[in-house]
Amino acid sequence: MLFSVLTLLAASQALGAPSPPSSLLQSRLAGPAAYVTTSDLSHKLSAAAAPVQGRGTGGSSTWDLSIDDTASGHKQTLIGFGGSVTDATVTVMNALSADTRSQLIRQLLTSDGADFSFLRHTIASSDLSGPPAYTYDDAGGNADPGLVNFNLGDRGTAMAKMLAAFRGVKAGLTILGSPWSAPGWMKLNRVLTGNADNNSLDPQYYSQYAQLFVKYLQAYKNNGATIDAITLQNEPLNSQGNGHVTMYQSADEAAKVTQQYVGPALRSAGFNTRIWAYDHNTDQPNYPRTVVNGAGAYVDSAAWHCYATNLDWSVLTSFHNAYPDKHQYMTECWTSPQTPWYQSSKNTLGPLQNWAEGSLMWTLGTWTQASDGTFGPYIPGGCSTCRGLFTVDQAAGTYAFTIDYYILSQFSKFMPKGAVILSGTGSYSYGGYQGIQSVASLNPDGTRTVVIENTFGNDVYVTLTTKSGQTWSGNLLAESVTTWILP
């Protein structure tokens, strides 16, 4: 354990970053510690009273939790937490000075801050791109079956270079790429945006669609940005007109295209890039099953979003039970002044409790809020009120973190890549999402992390029992997310 901590410290010093707080290092080595973020941000990853051994003495509101920290309680292994790198993210980061941008990257990806280890990036335009919408082979709207017009363009190149900079700071970073649409000429309606009719791939271009992924992966690799995984289509059941960039893809088509075209094309080109199915909501759980059943040799994971009307993360457990050798991730959940303070914790806890190996918020960065209530950059018809985990004030040349950054950091900073989620009991939410939710991990250094969300408007004294025979207890502030680190 000492070696892993000192290695982390040496890495941060090599970046010219300040050392992690000595109190954190000592807590990892010597005893329990606690950190908390509250809904009013009076506490932001702040040190709190450490849990004590035994039941302790608390207030009038109490709650019991338990975890199985023996081998029988081991579940999935984490790859980490983070956000989506959109064109908006790249635009606002590049508006900062080089020194300020470097500082921000360290606070995102190292123990100086959130220590994110999992990112998703948009392959060409998304709803968080400035206009006009584009892909990497628009060819002026003309068919380009030879893909001779393939080009990352200014925005694609800027994206690749930003991801390369991230890789230069964070070893072991996992990057997922997701497209919002194929080029318009590859679709039956022959347009990129503006028409939801026949808004799907033209089968005569399945081969070109596969080769587009190959060329994209090669171009990013040439720019120093190796991509670990892809999904074939963001939200394949979301087909809209107006300016929003979308494309419909049925589960049967996704299975066929993956099995007969994209999977073989990637392997023939020498890429071991993973393919994840679906990338959409929990209310259509049969979609990724259809893809896995039809293309399981190439698909090793399912990706889920948080937008179902009746959100039910237990469908991930059902998927795991049916396909125990496949992985799962929560790959998109928006954050905004319109979302509750616990948006990033609720939609991380639920997936982790149900076999997800990572969680991503939408999006990583935007501008600060404009006078009309929008953020951006965004495309007409896109998400004008999506707010990043950080925002950039272009006039001042500064950035600021939002509550969603601090809440997500309660996980990412203390549950490292390689941590194993532990089974547990006691989490419960009443109507209106009032309650206590928790998840625990066994970390590579031998410590245990317990993240506990309290959505009650009052403090709660929690007692945690472990199957290994320990009891820990401590106070949770009202409307807070608290992280305990247990030796």
Side-chain angles (χ1 to χ4, degrees):
M1 181 171 71
L2 179 60
F3 174 78
S4 62
V5 172
L6 292 179
T7 300
L8 194 72
L9 176 59
S12 68
Q13 289 173 335
L15 291 169
S19 302
S22 59
S23 58
L24 175 58
L25 294 177
Q26 291 166 0
S27 70
R28 292 275 186 170
L29 295 170
Y35 299 87
V36 62
T37 297
T38 52
S39 64
D40 63 0
L41 290 181
S42 59
H43 297 75
K44 297 184 287 189
L45 290 170
S46 303
V52 299
Q53 285 198 292
R55 283 206 158 257
T57 303
S60 58
S61 296
T62 61
W63 199 281
D64 287 340
L65 297 170
S66 70
I67 60 171
D68 183 353
D69 55 349
T70 69
S72 64
H74 291 189
K75 297 176 68 178
Q76 72 273 27
T77 301
L78 295 177
I79 66 167
F81 310 90
S84 293
V85 186
T86 58
D87 283 337
T89 301
V90 176
T91 296
V92 302
M93 290 186 73
N94 281 334
L96 298 170
S97 69
D99 287 346
T100 302
R101 183 167 59 250
S102 294
Q103 175 181 289
L104 171 58
I105 292 173
R106 289 196 302 271
Q107 288 185 287
L108 293 171
L109 301 180
T110 77
S111 59
D112 287 4
D115 216 2
F116 292 150
S117 59
F118 181 25
L119 298 173
R120 177 181 184 231
H121 94 95
T122 53
I123 302 174
S125 272
S126 72
D127 48 313
L128 289 183
S129 298
Y134 72 101
T135 71
Y136 297 153
D137 194 343
D138 290 314
N142 299 311
D144 182 23
L147 302 182
V148 296
N149 291 291
F150 177 89
N151 194 316
L152 293 183
D154 292 344
R155 286 186 280 180
T157 299
M159 172 70 74
K161 289 182 176 179
M162 186 65 72
L163 296 180
F166 290 171
R167 284 215 178 275
V169 169
K170 182 76 167 189
L173 182 65
T174 299
I175 300 178
L176 165 69
S178 300
W180 264 237
S181 177
W185 59 267
M186 284 191 189
K187 298 199 288 185
L188 289 169
N189 62 13
R190 301 294 186 256
V191 293
L192 179 57
T193 65
N195 185 357
D197 297 329
N198 294 315
N199 188 30
S200 56
L201 278 172
D202 185 336
Q204 71 173 306
Y205 293 124
Y206 283 166
S207 292
Q208 286 79 8
Y209 180 64
Q211 289 303 314
L212 191 67
F213 280 104
V214 172
K215 285 183 171 289
Y216 142 71
L217 291 170
Q218 289 171 335
Y220 271 63
K221 182 179 179 181
N222 291 342
N223 279 280
T226 301
I227 305 301
D228 298 289
I230 59 168
T231 60
L232 263 63
Q233 173 61 40
N234 170 71
E235 298 187 347
L237 302 180
N238 177 17
S239 179
Q240 298 183 28
N242 302 317
H244 198 348
V245 186
T246 64
M247 187 175 78
Y248 178 82
Q249 189 170 66
S250 71
D252 288 334
E253 182 182 48
K256 179 179 180 179
V257 170
T258 301
Q259 178 68 20
Q260 299 182 24
Y261 297 91
V262 177
L266 297 189
R267 300 302 175 261
S268 294
F271 287 105
N272 293 318
T273 311
R274 300 165 61 190
I275 300 175
W276 299 357
Y278 193 37
D279 218 6
H280 209 167
N281 296 337
T282 57
D283 55 0
Q284 297 295 326
N286 287 331
Y287 190 112
R289 292 178 179 231
T290 298
V291 178
V292 169
N293 290 340
Y298 295 108
V299 174
D300 75 347
S301 305
W304 305 91
H305 293 187
C306 77
Y307 307 119
T309 301
N310 297 309
L311 183 60
D312 181 8
W313 291 117
S314 71
V315 302
L316 278 68
T317 291
S318 298
F319 183 90
H320 169 79
N321 292 339
Y323 306 95
D325 61 331
K326 302 299 182 184
H327 308 274
Q328 297 183 84
Y329 306 93
M330 200 293 287
T331 53
E332 187 181 314
C333 194
W334 81 309
T335 58
S336 166
Q338 300 174 16
T339 56
W341 69 265
Y342 50 76
Q343 179 79 341
S344 60
S345 55
K346 176 184 179 182
N347 294 294
T348 296
L349 284 160
L352 292 186
Q353 291 166 345
N354 289 281
W355 293 94
E357 299 172 23
S359 178
L360 297 168
M361 295 300 119
W362 176 261
T363 178
L364 199 61
T366 59
W367 295 126
T368 54
Q369 190 169 26
S371 58
D372 62 359
T374 63
F375 292 88
Y378 62 92
I379 211 156
C383 185
S384 62
T385 54
C386 285
R387 180 183 65 188
L389 298 180
F390 68 86
T391 60
V392 169
D393 184 325
Q394 186 174 18
T398 59
Y399 63 88
F401 295 119
T402 66
I403 187 169
D404 307 292
Y405 165 89
Y406 290 107
I407 295 291
L408 188 60
S409 297
Q410 293 283 157
F411 299 84
S412 61
K413 195 170 179 65
F414 308 108
M415 286 184 164
K417 183 175 183 176
V420 177
I421 295 299
L422 302 174
S423 61
T425 63
S427 293
Y428 186 80
S429 294
Y430 298 94
Y433 199 67
Q434 292 268 301
I436 301 290
Q437 294 287 333
S438 71
V439 70
S441 68
L442 175 64
N443 304 319
D445 65 3
T447 60
R448 293 156 297 171
T449 297
V450 187
V451 181
I452 314 171
E453 175 195 71
N454 175 19
T455 52
F456 289 118
N458 55 271
D459 289 13
V460 176
Y461 196 84
V462 166
T463 299
L464 172 76
T465 57
T466 74
K467 193 171 182 180
S468 63
Q470 298 177 336
T471 300
W472 297 89
S473 59
N475 187 63
L476 307 181
L477 296 178
E479 294 190 350
S480 70
V481 175
T482 299
T483 302
W484 289 354
I485 303 168
L486 306 178

